[in-house]
Short mmCIF file of all heavy atoms in Angstrom, two decimals:
data_model
loop_
_atom_site.label_atom_id
_atom_site.label_comp_id
_atom_site.label_asym_id
_atom_site.label_seq_id
_atom_site.Cartn_x
_atom_site.Cartn_y
_atom_site.Cartn_z
N MET A 5 0.83 -1.18 0.00
CA MET A 5 -0.01 0.01 -0.02
C MET A 5 0.87 1.26 0.00
O MET A 5 1.90 1.29 0.66
CB MET A 5 -0.90 -0.03 1.22
CG MET A 5 -1.84 1.18 1.30
SD MET A 5 -2.97 1.00 2.64
CE MET A 5 -3.55 2.66 2.72
N ASN A 6 0.49 2.21 -0.72
CA ASN A 6 1.18 3.50 -0.86
C ASN A 6 1.24 4.22 0.51
O ASN A 6 0.22 4.34 1.18
CB ASN A 6 0.42 4.33 -1.86
CG ASN A 6 1.10 5.67 -2.14
OD1 ASN A 6 1.84 6.19 -1.35
ND2 ASN A 6 0.79 6.21 -3.29
N GLU A 7 2.43 4.59 0.90
CA GLU A 7 2.59 5.25 2.21
C GLU A 7 1.84 6.60 2.30
O GLU A 7 1.31 6.98 3.35
CB GLU A 7 4.05 5.46 2.55
CG GLU A 7 4.34 5.84 4.00
CD GLU A 7 3.88 4.78 5.01
OE1 GLU A 7 3.93 3.59 4.70
OE2 GLU A 7 3.48 5.20 6.10
N LEU A 8 1.77 7.28 1.16
CA LEU A 8 1.01 8.53 1.14
C LEU A 8 -0.46 8.31 1.46
O LEU A 8 -1.07 9.09 2.18
CB LEU A 8 1.19 9.25 -0.22
CG LEU A 8 0.47 10.55 -0.39
CD1 LEU A 8 0.91 11.58 0.65
CD2 LEU A 8 0.68 11.09 -1.77
N SER A 9 -0.98 7.23 0.94
CA SER A 9 -2.39 6.90 1.23
C SER A 9 -2.58 6.62 2.72
O SER A 9 -3.59 7.07 3.32
CB SER A 9 -2.82 5.63 0.44
OG SER A 9 -2.85 5.93 -0.93
N ARG A 10 -1.61 5.94 3.34
CA ARG A 10 -1.71 5.69 4.79
C ARG A 10 -1.69 7.00 5.56
O ARG A 10 -2.44 7.18 6.51
CB ARG A 10 -0.57 4.81 5.24
CG ARG A 10 -0.71 3.38 4.86
CD ARG A 10 0.34 2.51 5.52
NE ARG A 10 0.02 1.11 5.39
CZ ARG A 10 0.79 0.20 4.80
NH1 ARG A 10 1.93 0.59 4.30
NH2 ARG A 10 0.42 -1.06 4.78
N ILE A 11 -0.87 7.92 5.13
CA ILE A 11 -0.79 9.21 5.81
C ILE A 11 -2.10 9.97 5.68
O ILE A 11 -2.56 10.57 6.62
CB ILE A 11 0.41 10.03 5.26
CG1 ILE A 11 1.74 9.32 5.67
CG2 ILE A 11 0.36 11.49 5.74
CD1 ILE A 11 2.93 9.88 4.95
N ILE A 12 -2.64 10.00 4.46
CA ILE A 12 -3.91 10.70 4.25
C ILE A 12 -5.04 10.13 5.13
O ILE A 12 -5.80 10.87 5.75
CB ILE A 12 -4.32 10.66 2.77
CG1 ILE A 12 -3.33 11.44 1.90
CG2 ILE A 12 -5.76 11.11 2.54
CD1 ILE A 12 -3.42 11.22 0.42
N ILE A 13 -5.14 8.81 5.19
CA ILE A 13 -6.17 8.21 6.01
C ILE A 13 -5.90 8.46 7.50
O ILE A 13 -6.82 8.79 8.24
CB ILE A 13 -6.20 6.66 5.73
CG1 ILE A 13 -6.70 6.42 4.28
CG2 ILE A 13 -7.13 5.94 6.76
CD1 ILE A 13 -6.56 5.00 3.80
N GLU A 14 -4.65 8.36 7.91
CA GLU A 14 -4.34 8.60 9.31
C GLU A 14 -4.67 10.06 9.69
O GLU A 14 -5.22 10.34 10.77
CB GLU A 14 -2.85 8.33 9.58
CG GLU A 14 -2.45 8.49 10.99
CD GLU A 14 -0.98 8.10 11.21
OE1 GLU A 14 -0.19 7.98 10.24
OE2 GLU A 14 -0.61 7.94 12.36
N ARG A 15 -4.36 10.98 8.81
CA ARG A 15 -4.64 12.40 9.07
C ARG A 15 -6.15 12.59 9.17
O ARG A 15 -6.61 13.35 10.05
CB ARG A 15 -4.06 13.21 7.95
CG ARG A 15 -4.19 14.72 8.16
CD ARG A 15 -3.53 15.53 7.06
NE ARG A 15 -4.18 15.19 5.79
CZ ARG A 15 -3.58 15.34 4.62
NH1 ARG A 15 -2.39 15.88 4.54
NH2 ARG A 15 -4.24 15.03 3.51
N TYR A 16 -6.93 11.97 8.34
CA TYR A 16 -8.38 12.04 8.41
C TYR A 16 -8.85 11.52 9.75
O TYR A 16 -9.69 12.16 10.41
CB TYR A 16 -9.06 11.27 7.26
CG TYR A 16 -10.55 11.23 7.38
CD1 TYR A 16 -11.33 12.27 6.93
CD2 TYR A 16 -11.16 10.14 8.01
CE1 TYR A 16 -12.72 12.22 7.08
CE2 TYR A 16 -12.53 10.09 8.17
CZ TYR A 16 -13.31 11.14 7.73
OH TYR A 16 -14.64 11.12 7.89
N CYS A 17 -8.38 10.35 10.14
CA CYS A 17 -8.85 9.74 11.38
C CYS A 17 -8.50 10.57 12.63
O CYS A 17 -9.27 10.62 13.55
CB CYS A 17 -8.29 8.34 11.50
SG CYS A 17 -8.89 7.18 10.29
N MET A 18 -7.36 11.21 12.57
CA MET A 18 -6.96 12.05 13.73
C MET A 18 -7.76 13.33 13.80
O MET A 18 -7.92 13.88 14.89
CB MET A 18 -5.46 12.35 13.63
CG MET A 18 -4.62 11.11 13.84
SD MET A 18 -2.84 11.38 13.57
CE MET A 18 -2.52 12.53 14.91
N SER A 19 -8.26 13.79 12.69
CA SER A 19 -8.99 15.09 12.70
C SER A 19 -10.50 14.96 12.79
O SER A 19 -11.16 15.98 12.86
CB SER A 19 -8.61 15.92 11.46
OG SER A 19 -9.05 15.28 10.29
N HIS A 20 -11.00 13.73 12.78
CA HIS A 20 -12.46 13.51 12.83
C HIS A 20 -12.76 12.51 13.96
O HIS A 20 -12.08 11.56 14.16
CB HIS A 20 -12.96 12.96 11.52
CG HIS A 20 -12.92 13.90 10.39
ND1 HIS A 20 -11.75 14.17 9.67
CD2 HIS A 20 -13.89 14.69 9.87
CE1 HIS A 20 -12.00 15.04 8.75
NE2 HIS A 20 -13.26 15.40 8.82
N LYS A 21 -13.86 12.78 14.65
CA LYS A 21 -14.31 11.88 15.69
C LYS A 21 -15.69 11.37 15.29
O LYS A 21 -16.71 12.00 15.54
CB LYS A 21 -14.40 12.62 17.04
CG LYS A 21 -13.09 13.17 17.54
CD LYS A 21 -12.11 12.05 17.83
CE LYS A 21 -10.83 12.66 18.36
NZ LYS A 21 -9.70 11.76 18.21
N SER A 22 -15.71 10.24 14.59
CA SER A 22 -16.98 9.70 14.12
C SER A 22 -16.84 8.17 14.02
O SER A 22 -15.75 7.60 14.16
CB SER A 22 -17.32 10.25 12.74
OG SER A 22 -16.36 9.86 11.78
N ALA A 23 -17.94 7.50 13.80
CA ALA A 23 -17.90 6.06 13.60
C ALA A 23 -17.06 5.67 12.37
O ALA A 23 -16.32 4.71 12.34
CB ALA A 23 -19.32 5.49 13.46
N LYS A 24 -17.22 6.54 11.33
CA LYS A 24 -16.45 6.30 10.10
C LYS A 24 -14.92 6.37 10.36
O LYS A 24 -14.20 5.51 9.97
CB LYS A 24 -16.84 7.35 9.02
CG LYS A 24 -16.02 7.25 7.79
CD LYS A 24 -16.41 8.39 6.80
CE LYS A 24 -15.52 8.41 5.60
NZ LYS A 24 -15.90 9.53 4.71
N SER A 25 -14.51 7.41 11.10
CA SER A 25 -13.10 7.53 11.36
C SER A 25 -12.57 6.42 12.24
O SER A 25 -11.44 5.97 12.07
CB SER A 25 -12.79 8.93 11.99
OG SER A 25 -13.33 9.04 13.26
N LYS A 26 -13.37 5.95 13.20
CA LYS A 26 -12.93 4.84 14.04
C LYS A 26 -12.77 3.55 13.23
O LYS A 26 -11.80 2.81 13.38
CB LYS A 26 -13.95 4.61 15.14
CG LYS A 26 -13.91 5.69 16.21
CD LYS A 26 -14.93 5.44 17.29
CE LYS A 26 -14.94 6.62 18.27
NZ LYS A 26 -15.95 6.48 19.27
N ARG A 27 -13.70 3.31 12.32
CA ARG A 27 -13.63 2.12 11.48
C ARG A 27 -12.46 2.22 10.53
O ARG A 27 -11.73 1.25 10.31
CB ARG A 27 -14.94 1.95 10.71
CG ARG A 27 -15.11 0.67 9.95
CD ARG A 27 -15.57 -0.46 10.88
NE ARG A 27 -15.79 -1.67 10.20
CZ ARG A 27 -17.00 -2.09 9.79
NH1 ARG A 27 -18.03 -1.39 10.02
NH2 ARG A 27 -17.12 -3.23 9.15
N LEU A 28 -12.26 3.38 9.93
CA LEU A 28 -11.10 3.60 9.02
C LEU A 28 -9.78 3.46 9.80
O LEU A 28 -8.82 2.90 9.23
CB LEU A 28 -11.17 4.95 8.34
CG LEU A 28 -12.24 5.08 7.26
CD1 LEU A 28 -12.28 6.53 6.76
CD2 LEU A 28 -12.03 4.09 6.11
N SER A 29 -9.75 3.89 11.02
CA SER A 29 -8.54 3.76 11.81
C SER A 29 -8.22 2.29 12.04
O SER A 29 -7.06 1.87 11.94
CB SER A 29 -8.71 4.49 13.18
OG SER A 29 -7.57 4.34 13.93
N TYR A 30 -9.25 1.49 12.30
CA TYR A 30 -9.09 0.04 12.48
C TYR A 30 -8.50 -0.57 11.15
O TYR A 30 -7.57 -1.36 11.22
CB TYR A 30 -10.38 -0.60 12.85
CG TYR A 30 -10.41 -2.11 12.65
CD1 TYR A 30 -9.74 -2.95 13.50
CD2 TYR A 30 -11.06 -2.69 11.59
CE1 TYR A 30 -9.70 -4.32 13.28
CE2 TYR A 30 -11.09 -4.03 11.34
CZ TYR A 30 -10.38 -4.85 12.22
OH TYR A 30 -10.39 -6.21 11.99
N LEU A 31 -9.09 -0.23 10.04
CA LEU A 31 -8.65 -0.80 8.78
C LEU A 31 -7.25 -0.29 8.42
O LEU A 31 -6.43 -1.04 7.84
CB LEU A 31 -9.65 -0.41 7.63
CG LEU A 31 -11.01 -1.08 7.76
CD1 LEU A 31 -11.96 -0.54 6.72
CD2 LEU A 31 -10.89 -2.60 7.67
N HIS A 32 -6.96 0.96 8.77
CA HIS A 32 -5.61 1.55 8.58
C HIS A 32 -4.60 0.68 9.34
O HIS A 32 -3.55 0.31 8.81
CB HIS A 32 -5.62 2.97 9.04
CG HIS A 32 -4.29 3.63 9.02
ND1 HIS A 32 -3.53 3.73 10.14
CD2 HIS A 32 -3.57 4.20 8.02
CE1 HIS A 32 -2.41 4.33 9.87
NE2 HIS A 32 -2.41 4.62 8.58
N GLU A 33 -4.89 0.39 10.62
CA GLU A 33 -3.98 -0.42 11.41
C GLU A 33 -3.86 -1.83 10.86
O GLU A 33 -2.80 -2.45 10.89
CB GLU A 33 -4.48 -0.46 12.85
CG GLU A 33 -4.32 0.85 13.59
CD GLU A 33 -2.90 1.33 13.70
OE1 GLU A 33 -1.98 0.52 13.96
OE2 GLU A 33 -2.67 2.55 13.48
N LEU A 34 -4.98 -2.35 10.35
CA LEU A 34 -4.97 -3.68 9.77
C LEU A 34 -4.02 -3.77 8.57
O LEU A 34 -3.42 -4.81 8.32
CB LEU A 34 -6.41 -4.02 9.33
CG LEU A 34 -6.71 -5.47 8.98
CD1 LEU A 34 -6.57 -6.36 10.22
CD2 LEU A 34 -8.15 -5.56 8.45
N SER A 35 -3.89 -2.68 7.88
CA SER A 35 -3.00 -2.64 6.68
C SER A 35 -1.55 -2.86 7.01
O SER A 35 -0.74 -3.18 6.12
CB SER A 35 -3.22 -1.36 5.86
OG SER A 35 -2.62 -0.27 6.50
N TYR A 36 -1.19 -2.62 8.25
CA TYR A 36 0.26 -2.84 8.64
C TYR A 36 0.54 -4.28 8.99
O TYR A 36 1.70 -4.69 9.14
CB TYR A 36 0.60 -1.93 9.85
CG TYR A 36 0.81 -0.49 9.44
CD1 TYR A 36 -0.18 0.43 9.60
CD2 TYR A 36 2.02 -0.09 8.87
CE1 TYR A 36 0.00 1.77 9.24
CE2 TYR A 36 2.22 1.24 8.55
CZ TYR A 36 1.23 2.14 8.69
OH TYR A 36 1.41 3.45 8.31
N ASP A 37 -0.47 -5.09 9.22
CA ASP A 37 -0.29 -6.49 9.57
C ASP A 37 -0.45 -7.35 8.33
O ASP A 37 -1.56 -7.51 7.82
CB ASP A 37 -1.36 -6.89 10.62
CG ASP A 37 -1.19 -8.31 11.12
OD1 ASP A 37 -0.34 -9.05 10.59
OD2 ASP A 37 -1.93 -8.67 12.04
N MET A 38 0.63 -7.90 7.83
CA MET A 38 0.61 -8.62 6.57
C MET A 38 -0.22 -9.89 6.63
O MET A 38 -0.65 -10.39 5.65
CB MET A 38 2.04 -8.94 6.12
CG MET A 38 2.88 -7.68 5.81
SD MET A 38 2.09 -6.61 4.58
CE MET A 38 2.34 -7.58 3.12
N SER A 39 -0.40 -10.42 7.83
CA SER A 39 -1.16 -11.68 7.99
C SER A 39 -2.64 -11.44 8.24
O SER A 39 -3.44 -12.37 8.29
CB SER A 39 -0.56 -12.54 9.09
OG SER A 39 -0.70 -11.89 10.33
N ALA A 40 -3.03 -10.18 8.45
CA ALA A 40 -4.40 -9.86 8.81
C ALA A 40 -5.33 -9.97 7.55
O ALA A 40 -4.89 -9.74 6.44
CB ALA A 40 -4.51 -8.45 9.36
N VAL A 41 -6.54 -10.38 7.84
CA VAL A 41 -7.52 -10.55 6.77
C VAL A 41 -8.77 -9.77 7.20
O VAL A 41 -9.30 -9.98 8.28
CB VAL A 41 -7.88 -12.02 6.51
CG1 VAL A 41 -8.94 -12.16 5.46
CG2 VAL A 41 -6.62 -12.82 6.17
N GLY A 42 -9.23 -8.90 6.32
CA GLY A 42 -10.45 -8.14 6.59
C GLY A 42 -11.68 -9.03 6.37
O GLY A 42 -11.64 -10.02 5.65
N THR A 43 -12.75 -8.69 7.06
CA THR A 43 -14.00 -9.43 6.91
C THR A 43 -14.79 -8.88 5.73
O THR A 43 -14.50 -7.83 5.18
CB THR A 43 -14.84 -9.28 8.20
OG1 THR A 43 -15.26 -7.91 8.34
CG2 THR A 43 -14.08 -9.72 9.40
N ASP A 44 -15.84 -9.68 5.38
CA ASP A 44 -16.73 -9.18 4.32
C ASP A 44 -17.41 -7.88 4.73
O ASP A 44 -17.61 -6.99 3.89
CB ASP A 44 -17.80 -10.24 4.01
CG ASP A 44 -17.28 -11.46 3.33
OD1 ASP A 44 -16.17 -11.37 2.74
OD2 ASP A 44 -17.94 -12.53 3.36
N ASP A 45 -17.72 -7.73 6.00
CA ASP A 45 -18.36 -6.53 6.50
C ASP A 45 -17.38 -5.33 6.33
O ASP A 45 -17.81 -4.22 6.00
CB ASP A 45 -18.73 -6.71 7.96
CG ASP A 45 -19.61 -5.55 8.47
OD1 ASP A 45 -20.53 -5.17 7.72
OD2 ASP A 45 -19.38 -5.16 9.65
N ASP A 46 -16.10 -5.55 6.58
CA ASP A 46 -15.10 -4.49 6.39
C ASP A 46 -15.03 -4.10 4.92
O ASP A 46 -14.92 -2.90 4.59
CB ASP A 46 -13.71 -4.98 6.81
CG ASP A 46 -13.56 -5.20 8.30
OD1 ASP A 46 -14.30 -4.56 9.07
OD2 ASP A 46 -12.70 -6.01 8.69
N ALA A 47 -15.10 -5.06 4.03
CA ALA A 47 -15.04 -4.74 2.57
C ALA A 47 -16.26 -3.96 2.14
O ALA A 47 -16.12 -3.01 1.39
CB ALA A 47 -14.97 -6.08 1.82
N VAL A 48 -17.44 -4.30 2.66
CA VAL A 48 -18.65 -3.57 2.29
C VAL A 48 -18.59 -2.14 2.83
O VAL A 48 -18.91 -1.18 2.11
CB VAL A 48 -19.90 -4.31 2.83
CG1 VAL A 48 -21.14 -3.44 2.69
CG2 VAL A 48 -20.08 -5.61 2.08
N PHE A 49 -18.13 -2.02 4.07
CA PHE A 49 -17.99 -0.67 4.67
C PHE A 49 -17.06 0.20 3.85
O PHE A 49 -17.37 1.36 3.53
CB PHE A 49 -17.43 -0.77 6.11
CG PHE A 49 -16.96 0.55 6.64
CD1 PHE A 49 -17.87 1.48 7.13
CD2 PHE A 49 -15.61 0.86 6.62
CE1 PHE A 49 -17.42 2.71 7.59
CE2 PHE A 49 -15.17 2.11 7.10
CZ PHE A 49 -16.08 3.02 7.57
N LEU A 50 -15.90 -0.37 3.47
CA LEU A 50 -14.91 0.40 2.71
C LEU A 50 -15.46 0.77 1.31
O LEU A 50 -15.24 1.89 0.86
CB LEU A 50 -13.62 -0.40 2.61
CG LEU A 50 -12.37 0.35 2.21
CD1 LEU A 50 -12.18 1.64 3.02
CD2 LEU A 50 -11.16 -0.55 2.39
N GLU A 51 -16.16 -0.15 0.70
CA GLU A 51 -16.74 0.14 -0.61
C GLU A 51 -17.73 1.29 -0.54
O GLU A 51 -17.71 2.17 -1.39
CB GLU A 51 -17.43 -1.14 -1.16
CG GLU A 51 -18.03 -0.98 -2.53
CD GLU A 51 -18.70 -2.27 -3.00
OE1 GLU A 51 -18.06 -3.35 -2.84
OE2 GLU A 51 -19.79 -2.21 -3.47
N ARG A 52 -18.57 1.24 0.48
CA ARG A 52 -19.54 2.35 0.65
C ARG A 52 -18.85 3.67 0.99
O ARG A 52 -19.29 4.74 0.50
CB ARG A 52 -20.56 1.97 1.71
CG ARG A 52 -21.49 0.93 1.26
CD ARG A 52 -22.54 0.63 2.30
NE ARG A 52 -23.45 -0.41 1.86
CZ ARG A 52 -24.14 -1.19 2.64
NH1 ARG A 52 -24.08 -1.00 3.96
NH2 ARG A 52 -24.93 -2.13 2.17
N ALA A 53 -17.83 3.62 1.81
CA ALA A 53 -17.06 4.83 2.13
C ALA A 53 -16.46 5.44 0.91
O ALA A 53 -16.46 6.67 0.71
CB ALA A 53 -16.00 4.53 3.22
N ILE A 54 -15.95 4.63 0.01
CA ILE A 54 -15.36 5.10 -1.23
C ILE A 54 -16.43 5.76 -2.09
O ILE A 54 -16.21 6.88 -2.64
CB ILE A 54 -14.66 3.94 -2.00
CG1 ILE A 54 -13.41 3.47 -1.22
CG2 ILE A 54 -14.25 4.43 -3.41
CD1 ILE A 54 -12.87 2.16 -1.71
N GLU A 55 -17.55 5.13 -2.25
CA GLU A 55 -18.62 5.66 -3.05
C GLU A 55 -19.14 7.01 -2.55
O GLU A 55 -19.47 7.87 -3.33
CB GLU A 55 -19.81 4.68 -3.10
CG GLU A 55 -19.55 3.42 -3.88
CD GLU A 55 -20.68 2.41 -3.73
OE1 GLU A 55 -21.68 2.71 -3.04
OE2 GLU A 55 -20.55 1.31 -4.32
N ARG A 56 -19.15 7.18 -1.24
CA ARG A 56 -19.73 8.42 -0.65
C ARG A 56 -18.73 9.50 -0.45
O ARG A 56 -19.10 10.67 -0.21
CB ARG A 56 -20.33 8.05 0.70
CG ARG A 56 -21.53 7.16 0.60
CD ARG A 56 -22.06 6.77 1.96
NE ARG A 56 -23.19 5.90 1.84
CZ ARG A 56 -23.63 5.15 2.82
NH1 ARG A 56 -23.06 5.17 3.99
NH2 ARG A 56 -24.65 4.33 2.63
N GLU A 57 -17.46 9.20 -0.53
CA GLU A 57 -16.43 10.21 -0.23
C GLU A 57 -16.36 11.29 -1.31
O GLU A 57 -16.28 11.01 -2.49
CB GLU A 57 -15.03 9.55 -0.09
CG GLU A 57 -13.94 10.50 0.34
CD GLU A 57 -14.31 11.24 1.63
OE1 GLU A 57 -14.70 10.54 2.60
OE2 GLU A 57 -14.21 12.47 1.64
N LYS A 58 -16.38 12.55 -0.87
CA LYS A 58 -16.35 13.70 -1.80
C LYS A 58 -14.95 14.23 -2.02
O LYS A 58 -14.69 14.81 -3.07
CB LYS A 58 -17.24 14.82 -1.26
CG LYS A 58 -18.72 14.39 -1.27
CD LYS A 58 -19.59 15.49 -0.75
CE LYS A 58 -21.04 15.04 -0.89
NZ LYS A 58 -21.79 15.05 0.32
N ASP A 59 -14.05 14.02 -1.08
CA ASP A 59 -12.67 14.52 -1.20
C ASP A 59 -11.91 13.52 -2.09
O ASP A 59 -11.71 12.35 -1.76
CB ASP A 59 -12.01 14.55 0.19
CG ASP A 59 -10.58 15.01 0.15
OD1 ASP A 59 -10.04 15.21 -0.92
OD2 ASP A 59 -9.98 15.13 1.25
N PRO A 60 -11.46 13.99 -3.27
CA PRO A 60 -10.80 13.08 -4.22
C PRO A 60 -9.50 12.46 -3.69
O PRO A 60 -9.21 11.30 -3.95
CB PRO A 60 -10.54 13.94 -5.42
CG PRO A 60 -10.84 15.33 -5.08
CD PRO A 60 -11.60 15.34 -3.80
N GLU A 61 -8.79 13.22 -2.85
CA GLU A 61 -7.54 12.69 -2.30
C GLU A 61 -7.80 11.54 -1.33
O GLU A 61 -7.16 10.50 -1.36
CB GLU A 61 -6.77 13.84 -1.58
CG GLU A 61 -5.45 13.45 -1.06
CD GLU A 61 -4.75 14.60 -0.38
OE1 GLU A 61 -5.33 15.23 0.52
OE2 GLU A 61 -3.62 14.90 -0.78
N LEU A 62 -8.80 11.73 -0.47
CA LEU A 62 -9.18 10.72 0.50
C LEU A 62 -9.82 9.51 -0.23
O LEU A 62 -9.55 8.36 0.11
CB LEU A 62 -10.13 11.26 1.57
CG LEU A 62 -10.55 10.26 2.65
CD1 LEU A 62 -9.35 9.65 3.37
CD2 LEU A 62 -11.48 10.93 3.65
N ARG A 63 -10.61 9.78 -1.23
CA ARG A 63 -11.23 8.70 -2.01
C ARG A 63 -10.15 7.82 -2.64
O ARG A 63 -10.25 6.57 -2.62
CB ARG A 63 -12.15 9.23 -3.12
CG ARG A 63 -12.81 8.10 -3.90
CD ARG A 63 -13.68 8.55 -5.05
NE ARG A 63 -14.67 9.48 -4.56
CZ ARG A 63 -15.08 10.56 -5.23
NH1 ARG A 63 -14.57 10.84 -6.42
NH2 ARG A 63 -16.00 11.35 -4.74
N GLU A 64 -9.11 8.40 -3.21
CA GLU A 64 -8.04 7.65 -3.80
C GLU A 64 -7.30 6.82 -2.76
O GLU A 64 -6.93 5.68 -2.97
CB GLU A 64 -7.07 8.58 -4.56
CG GLU A 64 -6.03 7.88 -5.33
CD GLU A 64 -5.16 8.79 -6.16
OE1 GLU A 64 -5.65 9.83 -6.62
OE2 GLU A 64 -3.97 8.44 -6.33
N ALA A 65 -7.09 7.42 -1.60
CA ALA A 65 -6.39 6.73 -0.50
C ALA A 65 -7.24 5.50 -0.03
O ALA A 65 -6.70 4.45 0.22
CB ALA A 65 -6.12 7.65 0.66
N LEU A 66 -8.56 5.71 0.07
CA LEU A 66 -9.41 4.62 0.47
C LEU A 66 -9.45 3.54 -0.59
O LEU A 66 -9.49 2.33 -0.24
CB LEU A 66 -10.85 5.14 0.72
CG LEU A 66 -11.01 6.09 1.89
CD1 LEU A 66 -12.46 6.64 1.93
CD2 LEU A 66 -10.62 5.47 3.18
N GLN A 67 -9.40 3.90 -1.86
CA GLN A 67 -9.34 2.90 -2.94
C GLN A 67 -8.04 2.11 -2.85
O GLN A 67 -8.07 0.87 -3.02
CB GLN A 67 -9.47 3.59 -4.32
CG GLN A 67 -9.52 2.59 -5.44
CD GLN A 67 -10.75 1.72 -5.38
OE1 GLN A 67 -11.89 2.21 -5.28
NE2 GLN A 67 -10.58 0.40 -5.42
N ASP A 68 -6.94 2.77 -2.51
CA ASP A 68 -5.68 2.11 -2.34
C ASP A 68 -5.75 1.11 -1.19
O ASP A 68 -5.26 -0.01 -1.26
CB ASP A 68 -4.59 3.18 -2.14
CG ASP A 68 -3.16 2.60 -2.22
OD1 ASP A 68 -2.99 1.57 -2.88
OD2 ASP A 68 -2.28 3.21 -1.62
N LEU A 69 -6.36 1.54 -0.11
CA LEU A 69 -6.55 0.68 1.08
C LEU A 69 -7.41 -0.56 0.70
O LEU A 69 -7.05 -1.70 1.06
CB LEU A 69 -7.19 1.42 2.23
CG LEU A 69 -7.48 0.64 3.50
CD1 LEU A 69 -6.20 0.09 4.14
CD2 LEU A 69 -8.23 1.51 4.49
N ASP A 70 -8.48 -0.35 -0.03
CA ASP A 70 -9.34 -1.40 -0.47
C ASP A 70 -8.59 -2.39 -1.35
O ASP A 70 -8.68 -3.61 -1.15
CB ASP A 70 -10.57 -0.81 -1.21
CG ASP A 70 -11.56 -1.88 -1.63
OD1 ASP A 70 -11.97 -2.67 -0.78
OD2 ASP A 70 -11.93 -1.93 -2.82
N ASP A 71 -7.83 -1.89 -2.29
CA ASP A 71 -7.07 -2.75 -3.15
C ASP A 71 -6.03 -3.59 -2.38
O ASP A 71 -5.82 -4.76 -2.64
CB ASP A 71 -6.31 -1.97 -4.25
CG ASP A 71 -7.25 -1.32 -5.26
OD1 ASP A 71 -8.42 -1.71 -5.34
OD2 ASP A 71 -6.78 -0.41 -5.96
N PHE A 72 -5.41 -2.96 -1.38
CA PHE A 72 -4.41 -3.65 -0.60
C PHE A 72 -5.02 -4.72 0.27
O PHE A 72 -4.53 -5.83 0.35
CB PHE A 72 -3.67 -2.61 0.28
CG PHE A 72 -2.57 -3.23 1.12
CD1 PHE A 72 -1.36 -3.58 0.53
CD2 PHE A 72 -2.78 -3.51 2.45
CE1 PHE A 72 -0.35 -4.15 1.31
CE2 PHE A 72 -1.79 -4.09 3.23
CZ PHE A 72 -0.56 -4.39 2.64
N LEU A 73 -6.11 -4.41 0.93
CA LEU A 73 -6.72 -5.37 1.90
C LEU A 73 -7.56 -6.44 1.22
O LEU A 73 -7.58 -7.60 1.69
CB LEU A 73 -7.61 -4.62 2.91
CG LEU A 73 -6.90 -3.75 3.91
CD1 LEU A 73 -7.96 -2.99 4.78
CD2 LEU A 73 -5.95 -4.57 4.79
N PHE A 74 -8.23 -6.11 0.12
CA PHE A 74 -9.21 -7.04 -0.44
C PHE A 74 -8.91 -7.42 -1.86
O PHE A 74 -9.72 -8.07 -2.51
CB PHE A 74 -10.63 -6.45 -0.29
CG PHE A 74 -10.96 -6.13 1.12
CD1 PHE A 74 -11.02 -4.82 1.58
CD2 PHE A 74 -11.19 -7.14 2.04
CE1 PHE A 74 -11.27 -4.51 2.89
CE2 PHE A 74 -11.46 -6.86 3.37
CZ PHE A 74 -11.52 -5.55 3.79
N GLY A 75 -7.78 -6.95 -2.43
CA GLY A 75 -7.41 -7.30 -3.80
C GLY A 75 -8.25 -6.61 -4.85
O GLY A 75 -9.16 -5.84 -4.53
N LEU A 76 -7.93 -6.83 -6.04
CA LEU A 76 -8.64 -6.20 -7.16
C LEU A 76 -9.81 -7.02 -7.64
O LEU A 76 -9.92 -8.16 -7.59
CB LEU A 76 -7.68 -5.93 -8.31
CG LEU A 76 -6.58 -4.93 -7.99
CD1 LEU A 76 -5.60 -4.89 -9.13
CD2 LEU A 76 -7.14 -3.58 -7.71
#
């Protein structure tokens, strides 16, 4: 996963206090564990977050996270 994407997601999570930011923080941490596997629920959450995101920079970072955790 692109380190810039990790930074963008981490910055978002640190600056927002919401259910979305907590879940993204969990997935962000999951991306550092090479043996970790996300659940189907995590994949659906991330897919919906990507669809709804208006910030193009964050959307691209979330897509990068999705590709890394759940493949293409």
